[in-house]
Structure formats: C-alpha cells, structure tokens
Amino acid sequence: MIVAYENSTQFLWLPVYSINDRAHESPIYIFLAVFQIFIYCSTGYIIVKTCSIFLQIKLFHENINILMAWFLCQWFEAILAKMVILPYQTGLIQVGENPGKAYFSWWTSEKSEMLIVKNKNEIWSLYISSCFMWHYMWSVIFAPVIVGVERLCASYYIQNYENSRRRHIPILLIIITNLITIPYAYFVINDRIPFLVAYAQCVLNAFTVLFGYLIGYRVNIIWRNRMEGGRIDNYSLARKFQVEENIRYLVLARRLVFVVVIYLSISLIILICLVFGVVQGYNTVFVHILDNVILSAALVVSITWIFCSPIWKDAFIKSLPLVRKFRKMSRPQNRFTPNASEVPETEIYFIQLKNAWV
C-alpha cells in the first residue's frame, strides 16, 4: 500500500494490501480468522520445537544452529507486527482523508489508489509495525545468504573450525544482517528504494543461494577427491574432517536450498503479478496467498530443515502432543527405565573430531 501525505510529495510503502476493508463484517470471515489463528499457533509451536531439537541434537557446528534459530524466531517479530496491522486492514481502525473508503493495492503510482493521510502521526502504530514487517521480510531474503557465509567461514578456518566454538562468528553475522536489513526496511518503507531495485535484490539473493550451494558442493567434492588421492601437500586430519562436515551439511541441506529458492520464486512471481495487474479480477485471492506465503516462510523452512535428517524428523514426530500421548497409551514405560537418547549417537562425529586434535 502506497501512502501519500496531503501537503507533501513524500510517500510511504507499507507491506499491506488493503486498508479500511470491512472484511470482518462478512459471515465467512470468522471461519477464516479462526483458521488463520490455528495456523499461526501451529507455526509458533513448530518453530519452537524445531529450534529446540537442532540445538539439543547437534548434527552440525553450534554456530550454524544459532543462526538458524535466530532467523526462525524472527517469525515472532512478524506475527506481532501483523497483529497491529490487522485492525487497519479489516477496517476496525479506519484512517485516511476518507475513512469510509477501502483501499486495495500492493504498489501503485496512481494517486487515486493511494491512501491519503495528513501526516505520519495519523498512522504511527501502522508505520512502526510495517517497519518491523519489512525488517522480517528482508531478514527472510538475506538469511540463506548469511547461512552460506557461515559455511565459508568454516572453510576458511578449515584447520580447527569444528574444534573451536568461535561464537563471535554467528554474533557478527547477526549484527551484519541487521546492519543490512534495518536500513533496507527504512528505505523501502519511506519509498527511497525503487520497486524494481528492491525486486532485483530479491532475485539476486535467490540466485546467490542456488549457485553458491552448487559451487560450494562442487569445491568440497574436489577437495575430498584430492585428499583421497594424496594430491594435497598440506593434508591434515582436521582439514579432512572439515571437508567431510561441509559435504555432510550440503547433502542434508540440498532439499532446504531448493525449497528456499522455490519459495522465493513463488513469492516474487505473485508480487510481480499483483504490482503489474496481471491477475485483474483475482487480486484479492492472490494477495491473501502472498500474505500467507510471507508469514509461512519460517514454517516452510522449519519443516523442511527438520525432515532433512531422519534423527531430527523422528525427534520432532515423537514430540508432537498427539503422537506422544498415543505412544504413552500404547507402550507404557517403566518409570525406572530411562528413555533412550539420540543425542550421544548424533554427537559421535564431534567426539571423534575432538579426539583427532588430541
């Protein structure tokens, strides 16, 4: 939604399609609202369980787990922003020079389709929540790139990366990400970045993730083959372990990479169709799809990431309330017999790794 001021040439670009829409007056809206609340609650639960599982069952270095947990938990930033935006969307809070008029657009250059307000104070809470929503959206776009940078750091410190915590790496990467996404959110919402430039950045990030993955996988395979053939002069056990770790991560993350690229592609296609009016007559349907696609990013990544590993998948399925209750009913356990834990089994790799440097 493009917002214009009455006595100014400045514009705001809010990540909102509808304003003053009286959708809540429709009888079917209550069913849609209940369904969305259920989806949002389920998403929050899945994100928390996902982060808990891969922080407890450590298949990879803790630095990449910290980054994944940070980016997934940013979904809560988006859902809080959405709770503030929703009353403006549904018309519970009406704004603009003509409060009874409903406005529908994602991005437009037509003055008649813009929401006209006196000043920013009139929509201050909507403006702040939109800043957080833009920040979340740009974080989603840059997160796969930053995770790839962490793997580059692992390759750079190939001699002893897995034997060292190097906690400063995820902290610095999170700070750098916010130094990029916060200005992006500010400039986009204040219409300082042209639409095509912002769109091109999204496309560039998607290609960077895909080609970065393919190149990284190929390079590590070459390194492993050279080590096995004895063609690397500075061969060491630490280097071999790190290369194997990189390959193991890339193999497990293959599904996640392609899902992320497909997700970004679908989002960009829907967005470009809405902006250029390709789906005239179906705008409402497509905007609801886009709205839910944006908020389902963390859900898609969580499920895909968990199901990349059989151990993570089993731990996740066993943690589901209905499954856990059914297992207790079907197979009551002796309270004196401790439950088997997958954690030691999954950490054998890291135990071997530490012993390699002793």
Side-chain angles (χ1 to χ4, degrees), residues 13-302:
W13 184 13
L14 307 181
V16 182
Y17 177 75
S18 61
I19 295 289
N20 298 340
D21 181 18
R22 308 293 294 182
H24 63 280
E25 296 179 353
S26 171
I28 199 174
Y29 179 79
I30 185 65
F31 297 102
L32 294 176
V34 171
F35 177 74
Q36 282 202 312
I37 290 172
F38 171 77
I39 294 296
Y40 293 156
C41 292
S42 300
T43 300
Y45 174 81
I46 291 173
I47 290 172
V48 172
K49 292 304 300 183
T50 299
C51 294
S52 174
I53 287 170
F54 65 64
L55 287 174
Q56 292 178 8
I57 305 177
K58 299 175 182 178
L59 294 180
F60 302 106
H61 195 283
E62 62 180 3
N63 287 348
I64 197 170
N65 294 332
I66 291 171
L67 285 175
M68 290 295 294
W70 170 267
F71 288 124
L72 289 177
C73 287
Q74 283 192 289
W75 177 83
F76 293 99
E77 171 191 19
I79 201 65
L80 290 175
K82 182 66 175 178
M83 291 173 62
V84 178
I85 292 172
L86 198 59
Y88 292 93
Q89 284 186 285
T90 58
L92 291 173
I93 301 176
Q94 296 181 336
V95 293
E97 62 178 4
N98 186 4
K101 180 182 177 181
Y103 297 85
F104 301 93
S105 72
W106 182 256
W107 187 92
T108 183
S109 57
E110 299 294 332
K111 192 77 172 181
S112 60
E113 298 179 3
M114 299 180 184
L115 173 67
I116 309 299
V117 297
K118 294 179 180 179
N119 51 54
K120 193 181 294 183
N121 293 332
E122 185 177 345
I123 55 168
W124 184 250
S125 59
L126 178 60
Y127 174 80
I128 296 298
S129 58
S130 295
C131 286
F132 282 102
M133 183 63 77
W134 274 123
H135 177 252
Y136 159 77
M137 292 167 65
W138 284 108
S139 296
V140 168
I141 293 168
F142 278 95
V145 179
I146 297 299
V147 172
V149 172
E150 188 275 340
R151 288 292 88 188
L152 289 178
C153 293
S155 299
Y156 180 79
Y157 296 108
I158 194 168
Q159 292 291 351
N160 62 350
Y161 187 77
E162 298 298 338
N163 192 43
S164 175
R165 298 181 71 183
R166 298 189 189 276
R167 187 62 60 79
H168 65 279
I169 290 179
I171 294 175
L172 285 176
L173 289 177
I174 290 171
I175 293 173
I176 291 171
T177 305
N178 283 279
L179 289 177
I180 296 172
T181 55
I182 291 175
Y184 253 104
Y186 175 80
F187 289 131
V188 169
I189 198 171
N190 288 283
D191 201 36
R192 306 284 179 83
I193 298 180
F195 170 77
L196 291 178
V197 174
Y199 190 85
Q201 180 67 66
C202 300
V203 175
L204 176 63
N205 282 24
F207 277 102
T208 300
V209 172
L210 180 59
F211 287 109
Y213 172 83
L214 296 175
I215 293 172
Y217 182 77
R218 182 58 183 168
V219 167
N220 280 277
I221 290 294
I222 292 173
W223 284 352
R224 183 175 68 177
N225 292 339
R226 288 182 177 178
M227 288 180 183
E228 292 176 350
R231 289 175 288 170
I232 292 184
D233 297 333
N234 58 344
Y235 170 85
S236 68
L237 187 59
R239 182 183 291 270
K240 184 179 187 303
F241 265 96
Q242 184 58 60
V243 170
E244 293 294 342
E245 166 71 355
N246 289 345
I247 293 174
R248 195 165 67 98
Y249 166 78
L250 291 169
V251 169
L252 281 180
R254 180 181 302 163
R255 187 184 303 172
L256 179 64
V257 169
F258 286 105
V259 166
V260 167
V261 172
I262 292 172
Y263 166 83
L264 289 176
S265 301
I266 292 174
S267 303
L268 295 174
I269 290 171
I270 296 175
L271 177 60
I272 206 71
C273 289
L274 285 170
V275 170
F276 290 101
V278 178
V279 288
Q280 288 291 344
Y282 299 94
N283 286 6
T284 303
V285 175
F286 273 79
V287 78
H288 279 293
I289 294 175
L290 179 62
D291 207 22
N292 285 282
V293 164
I294 290 172
L295 285 173
S296 65
L299 176 63
V300 171
V301 171
S302 294

